[in-house]
Amino acid sequence: MKIQDLKKYPITDYLQNLGLEPVKSVGKELVYYSPKTQEKTPSFFVNPSKNVFFDYSSNEKGDVIRLVQYLEGLDFISACNHLEKFGQDFIKTITENSFSFCGNEVINHNNTITIETVKPLQANSLIEYCQNRKIPFHIAFKFLHEIRYNNNGKQYYSLGFKNDKGGFELRNQYFKGCTTPKAITTFEVPNSKSVYLFEGFFDFLSALAFFGTTKPLNTVIVLNSLSLLPQAKERLNKADSLHTFLDRDSQGVKAVEKLKMEGVNLVDRSKIYDKFKDFNEFLSKKT
């Protein structure tokens, strides 16, 4: 593996797999307790976008290779070899033991993810992640959970969006995945004659932010994956009208056309975010 490729390995992933998690965020940086010194005030900063660190307790700074040298006491070549093996072992664990891949999403089939806690959203880094995607805290807090989970003996945390079968969509700044069972999420509004259909939960939350509400006036179904559309068909067939907020990519357009061909009384609401891939991209770039 080339040195420039090794330098792309996320420092946050390396720290997370050492059992180290950020305690807060400051601007675009995540703040940790220094892994090398005993301190009461966290002073170890990581800039995820630049993939660099700075430890104010020791004035050490640099890229991920320098971090491995610093934490493991290795020379440059040894640190590169260590990081390469670390990365290969991590990828092997994911691909062979933990997950299968569907598009950009990681789906756990072998129950190697064990959810340890489900609690109200409070981690600063997760709150900032929502805010960066223009989801106000009061909306994120109402619909999302903070999930702490174990995978192959290692601790992780992420946003969690619960589905109708008890599984969770998992998201943070660096990870997109889910637990099983994979299913749609329904917010049923009594006596609702219309259904509002979303592809992903960030698009649903974006619609709430855009329309300035926290309470859907009509039944909402979040597919959590376009492939789960058949799970929603029974409820869709009961609706007098269907308002779709699907992605404006080829698959989303095909799904809308297919629903129309099936005779559904459909209103394509994706025109709101015309020229953008989805509702959240529109919200993020227009506000």
Side-chain angles (χ1 to χ4, degrees), residues 101-103 105 107 109 169 178 182-184 197-200 221-233 246-247 249 251-252 255 258:
F101 289 80
C102 180
E105 187 165 8
I107 302 176
H109 291 294
E169 297 298 305
C178 66
K182 178 86 171 177
I184 65 174
L197 184 69
F198 295 86
E199 190 163 332
I221 295 177
V222 182
L223 293 173
N224 295 318
S225 172
L226 200 57
S227 64
L228 298 184
L229 183 58
Q231 288 189 19
K233 283 296 184 66
L246 303 183
D247 290 0
D249 56 14
Q251 295 302 311
K258 183 177 180 181

Side-chain angles (χ1 to χ4, degrees), residues 76-88:
F76 182 82
I77 298 300
S78 298
C80 289
N81 292 335
H82 177 84
L83 185 60
E84 182 173 22
K85 183 178 185 303
F86 185 92
Q88 289 174 344

Side-chain angles (χ1 to χ4, degrees), residues 160-268:
F161 182 71
K162 194 173 184 179
N163 66 41
D164 291 348
K165 295 183 179 180
F168 284 92
E169 297 298 305
L170 302 176
R171 299 288 187 279
N172 61 37
Q173 188 175 357
Y174 314 104
F175 176 76
K176 178 181 179 181
C178 66
T179 66
T180 54
K182 178 86 171 177
I184 65 174
T185 301
T186 306
F187 297 99
E188 191 69 54
V189 175
N191 302 316
S192 175
K193 295 182 179 181
S194 298
V195 171
Y196 282 43
L197 184 69
F198 295 86
E199 190 163 332
F201 72 81
F202 266 115
D203 297 315
F204 164 55
L205 301 183
S206 297
L208 294 176
F210 179 77
F211 292 115
T213 184
T214 61
K215 186 177 181 179
L217 298 179
N218 292 284
T219 293
V220 167
I221 295 177
V222 182
L223 293 173
N224 295 318
S225 172
L226 200 57
S227 64
L228 298 184
L229 183 58
Q231 288 189 19
K233 283 296 184 66
E234 182 177 355
R235 180 63 184 88
L236 298 183
N237 291 336
K238 296 178 181 179
D240 289 346
S241 63
L242 171 63
H243 297 247
T244 58
F245 297 80
L246 303 183
D247 290 0
R248 293 186 67 84
D249 56 14
S250 60
Q251 295 302 311
V253 171
K254 287 180 181 178
V256 168
E257 292 304 315
K258 183 177 180 181
L259 288 167
K260 287 180 178 179
M261 291 176 62
E262 292 176 358
V264 176
N265 182 18
L266 187 147
V267 180
D268 185 1

Side-chain angles (χ1 to χ4, degrees), residues 111-130:
N111 297 319
T112 57
I113 287 181
T114 302
I115 293 179
E116 297 184 342
T117 61
V118 178
K119 61 183 182 180
L121 179 59
Q122 62 185 42
N124 287 337
S125 59
L126 296 179
I127 294 170
E128 183 181 23
Y129 173 54
C130 291

Side-chain angles (χ1 to χ4, degrees), residues 1-11 14 51 63-66 68 76-88:
M1 187 178 295
K2 297 180 180 179
I3 291 176
Q4 56 264 37
D5 293 328
L6 289 175
K7 289 183 177 182
K8 294 178 183 178
Y9 191 90
I11 287 176
Y14 188 78
N51 205 33
D63 57 25
V64 67
I65 297 176
R66 179 58 194 156
V68 175
F76 182 82
I77 298 300
S78 298
C80 289
N81 292 335
H82 177 84
L83 185 60
E84 182 173 22
K85 183 178 185 303
F86 185 92
Q88 289 174 344

